[in-house]
Each structure stands twice: as C-alpha cells, then as structure tokens.
Amino acid sequence: MIFFSNPKAQYLAYKNEIDAAIENVLSGTQFILGQNVASFEEEFAKYIGTDHAIGVGNGTDAICLALNALDIGPGNEVIAPSYTAVATIAAIKMAGAIPVLVDIDPNYYTLSPEAIEQAVTEQTRAIIAVHLYGQSADMNKVLTIAKRQKLKVIEDCAQAHGAIYENKRVGSIGDIGCFSFYPTKNLGALGDGGAVVTSDGVIASHIYKLREYGWDENRISQKSGRNSRLDELQAAVLRVKLPYLDADTKKRKKIAENYDKAFQSLPLVCPPVRDRCSHVYHLYVITVNNRNELVQFLKQNNIFPGIHYSTPVHKMPTYTDSLPIGANLTQTDFLADKVVSLPIYPELGTNEQDRVISTIREFYLP
Ligand SMILES: Cc1ncc(COP(=O)(O)O)c(C=O)c1O
C-alpha cells in the first residue's frame, strides 16, 4: 500500500540516530525545557534566518501565541484564507479574535491579495498568510497591503519548512512565523510540537513567557499565559532531522519533477510554482475533473491519496458566519471539488513512484 505521506518511513530512515538521541534524553534528568530545546531553538532560528525560535506545544498554539504576543484578541479581526487546515482558523478563535475568511488566488492556491484588500475593516489587526502545500503566499503583495493598512503579518509555515520566497525562507518575512512539527510535516517530530520564529526581541520575550503561564524569571505570572512547551524528547528528534531537511526537500522535488513530467499530456493540472520561489512539496496536489472516480481507481490499486481540503473552513458549521460582507469564495469552492494529494515523501522509492504514475496513466489512457 502506498499512502500520500509516511512518517514511519522517516523514522526508520534515521532510526539509529533518533534512538540514540532519545536514549540520551532518557539517561538525563531534564525532560522539559532542557538543553535539547534550547539547542534546537538556536539551530532552527539559524536555519530559518530569524533571531529567535521558541519551541511550543504544536502549530495551532504557535499561531494563537503569536496573536497573544501581538495583543490581538476579542473585538479584533484577523484575515486568513478559508482554504487551509482548520487549525489556522481554530487558533484565531482560541485567541478570542474574529476570523475573517477570504478567497484564494486561482493560480497558486494561496490567499488572494485582492480579497484581503476587500476584507479590511476598522477592526482588522492582522493577516495570516498560509504557505499552502509547501509554497509561499504572495508575500510582497501581502506586506504592501499590511504596511498600507497598518496590519501585522503572521506566516503560517506549518506546510512549508525551508520554502524560499525571493531569497528568504518563509517564517522570516512577516512579523512572526509559526511552524508545526506534527509527524507528517516536512520537519516532523514523533508527536506534537511547534515553534514561533521572529526577529523582534520584544515579541520573542512575550512568547517565552506566554508558553509558560505568563511567568517572569521568578515564576510570577505577569500575563495570563498557558502551558505550551516543546518537550526534550521531541526537540532531540527534531535536532537529528533538521540537518537532513534540505536533502529531504531535494528528494521531494525530484519526485515532483518525475510526476510533472509523467503527467504533462494528461487532462489534469500539476502543482503550479511561483517565480523566484522554491516549493518544498509538503503535498503534491493535482486538480482533476473526475475526482471520485480517480480516487476510487487509485484505492483499488492500493494507492491512498489525500484530499486537502474537501470542506473549506467557511463551510464548517462553526465558521459559516466568518465571511466578510459581500464575500465571494468562488475559487475556494471550485478547488475543493478538484484536489487530490498524491503520495510524496523523501523515502518514496522509484518503484512506488512508477506505480503511482502508471496507475494514473492507466486511469486516463486505458
Ligand atoms: C496550514 C496549517 N496550519 C496549522 C497547522 C496546525 O499544526 P498542529 O497540528 O501542530 O497544531 C497545520 C497542521 O495540520 C497546518 O497544516
């Protein structure tokens, strides 16, 4: 069976090093916020190109804590795309702010700058730019709007570890970058984990406090924080994997290249890549007209694709009232009926890639 992602294969690829790192933590005495977390924070900040990285419990918390650190909460609106993992929007609600869901750009599937412009009101405080599927949002346009409207920019980088937008890694472009290390992510832990990155020292110092009950150095809560810490075991695993991230991304790109070439003449759309950007292919998402039939055919052949996403957030019951007045989410609704995520992960062998390719060719050219 071939699945669209395979975190177990990633563990096995680095098993010896990961097992040794875990053993090392277990033989020590500090399981929370010790040397592994501190070192990982330093190494990850260096990799992304920011002054600070703060390990937190998961990617959803990372976004919520970013909003907390910017003092964005009740009564404030936050603009984000409806076409994203629901976690992006759940984080806005967790912060007590009002999510305002906008449409995507039909070419690259990331949030539409025109839709942002139309959604800004007196209450808007921030934009969350989601780097969907492994590719950066249109950051120049997002930053221009943010500057003009005096809004903060939070990058949701959960699907785009290492992706580059015009020579900068995502996470280092806006005010704050938020990462998830959920096991299927391009940099995945063996459990939950996340990080907030920023080069703003004031924001960083807020996040350090907010992730631990709002404590100051004397363990006195100066603000109302929460418990959202990255633990030593996950940090130790991430430290093993981080040095391999670029090599793993290269493997993902090679698979994407093979798929792009093989599907050229078929009636489907391969993932579009923005100029001067590097896509890290967290997901390889094609769009097709006959999704149900294709997915069924793939499953009959023991290939299990994903669908990201069949229900955009604005169609989920708790978020149906989160649209700006007069909003039109045509592109989001259009895409939701068409996307299929094909298997892609660094350990996907050439035989398995060939099987995916030949099965799809057989579907279209029986
Ligand atoms: C775009 C996006 N944002 C946020 C998250 C939330 O990450 P986590 O599952 O670590 O809370 C995810 C992960 O699913 C995601 O894909």
Side-chain angles (χ1 to χ4, degrees):
M1 287 193 286
I2 308 176
F3 295 95
F4 73 88
S5 79
N6 189 342
K8 178 70 185 260
Q10 248 295 268
Y11 164 59
L12 294 176
Y14 302 120
K15 184 178 185 315
N16 290 346
E17 279 182 77
I18 289 174
D19 288 356
I22 289 175
E23 193 57 48
N24 189 41
V25 174
L26 297 182
S27 66
T29 53
Q30 187 143 8
F31 302 125
I32 291 283
L33 297 187
Q35 194 49 51
N36 279 293
V37 171
S39 299
F40 175 70
E41 289 176 337
E42 203 173 299
E43 291 152 9
F44 193 61
K46 189 163 173 225
Y47 176 81
I48 297 298
T50 51
D51 291 346
H52 309 274
I54 302 108
V56 298
N58 55 68
T60 313
D61 278 0
I63 299 168
C64 181
L65 288 163
L67 291 164
N68 295 157
L70 294 169
D71 220 8
I72 295 174
N76 302 145
E77 293 178 0
V78 177
I79 296 173
S82 176
Y83 210 59
T84 179
V86 71
T88 312
I89 313 304
I92 301 172
K93 277 238 177 152
M94 276 163 63
I98 304 159
V100 175
L101 301 173
V102 298
D103 208 358
I104 46 167
D105 153 9
N107 297 317
Y108 301 104
Y109 318 145
T110 51
L111 84 174
S112 149
E114 292 71 33
I116 298 174
E117 249 353 323
Q118 286 162 15
V120 175
T121 72
E122 292 277 297
Q123 283 71 45
T124 310
R125 293 284 314 281
I127 302 166
I128 300 189
V130 181
H131 303 311
L132 197 72
Y133 302 153
Q135 164 156 259
S136 173
D138 191 348
M139 290 309 287
N140 283 341
K141 288 194 181 157
V142 170
L143 293 176
T144 303
I145 297 168
K147 195 167 173 201
R148 192 167 53 238
Q149 305 281 4
K150 298 191 173 49
L151 306 175
K152 296 292 183 188
V153 175
I154 297 173
E155 296 177 70
D156 180 343
C157 312
Q159 301 188 359
H161 309 70
I164 292 171
Y165 177 85
E166 298 187 356
N167 300 324
K168 283 184 160 182
R169 288 207 195 275
V170 299
S172 68
I173 304 165
D175 296 284
I176 307 185
C178 299
F179 287 85
S180 163
F181 303 124
Y182 184 78
T184 58
K185 302 301 187 201
N186 287 28
L187 179 63
L190 295 176
D192 277 313
V196 178
V197 300
T198 182
S199 288
D200 183 320
V202 176
I203 291 174
S205 82
H206 282 321
I207 304 272
Y208 281 118
K209 290 175 184 139
L210 291 170
R211 76 171 169 186
E212 245 191 337
Y213 325 115
W215 273 350
D216 64 14
E217 314 67 50
N218 301 314
R219 299 193 162 196
I220 304 295
S221 296
Q222 300 290 354
K223 283 205 161 206
S224 60
R226 65 175 67 205
N227 172 6
S228 185
R229 298 174 291 223
L230 180 65
D231 67 61
E232 281 290 289
L233 283 171
Q234 301 307 338
V237 171
L238 292 166
R239 289 191 73 204
V240 170
K241 287 190 176 187
L242 180 59
Y244 297 112
L245 178 58
D246 285 345
D248 280 346
T249 299
K250 255 193 200 157
K251 292 179 191 166
R252 287 177 184 270
K253 283 186 180 170
K254 181 77 189 110
I255 297 167
E257 217 178 281
N258 290 346
Y259 284 165
D260 285 349
K261 219 183 283 170
F263 302 149
Q264 238 169 29
S265 56
L266 301 183
L268 56 83
V269 179
C270 292
V273 182
R274 237 182 248 294
D275 277 353
R276 300 174 64 206
C277 291
S278 108
H279 197 314
V280 295
Y281 295 101
H282 171 57
L283 296 169
Y284 185 94
V285 178
I286 57 170
T287 65
V288 300
N289 285 325
N290 38 2
R291 179 169 69 199
N292 289 348
E293 291 85 350
L294 174 63
V295 168
Q296 200 183 359
F297 189 73
L298 288 169
K299 285 183 177 168
Q300 278 163 3
N301 286 278
N302 277 327
I303 296 167
F304 294 86
I307 298 196
H308 301 87
Y309 300 91
S310 60
T311 308
V313 179
H314 72 278
K315 293 211 162 143
M316 298 191 182
T318 188
Y319 297 110
T320 47
D321 60 353
S322 296
L323 299 179
I325 293 163
N328 171 347
L329 273 68
T330 322
Q331 301 301 338
T332 299
D333 292 332
F334 180 78
L335 200 67
D337 290 335
K338 297 196 172 329
V339 289
V340 181
S341 309
L342 297 183
I344 193 161
Y345 49 89
E347 298 74 25
L348 188 74
T350 44
N351 286 347
E352 293 161 310
Q353 292 169 46
D354 289 346
R355 252 187 66 204
V356 174
I357 289 170
S358 62
T359 308
I360 289 185
R361 291 187 67 82
E362 193 188 331
F363 175 78
Y364 284 107
L365 311 166

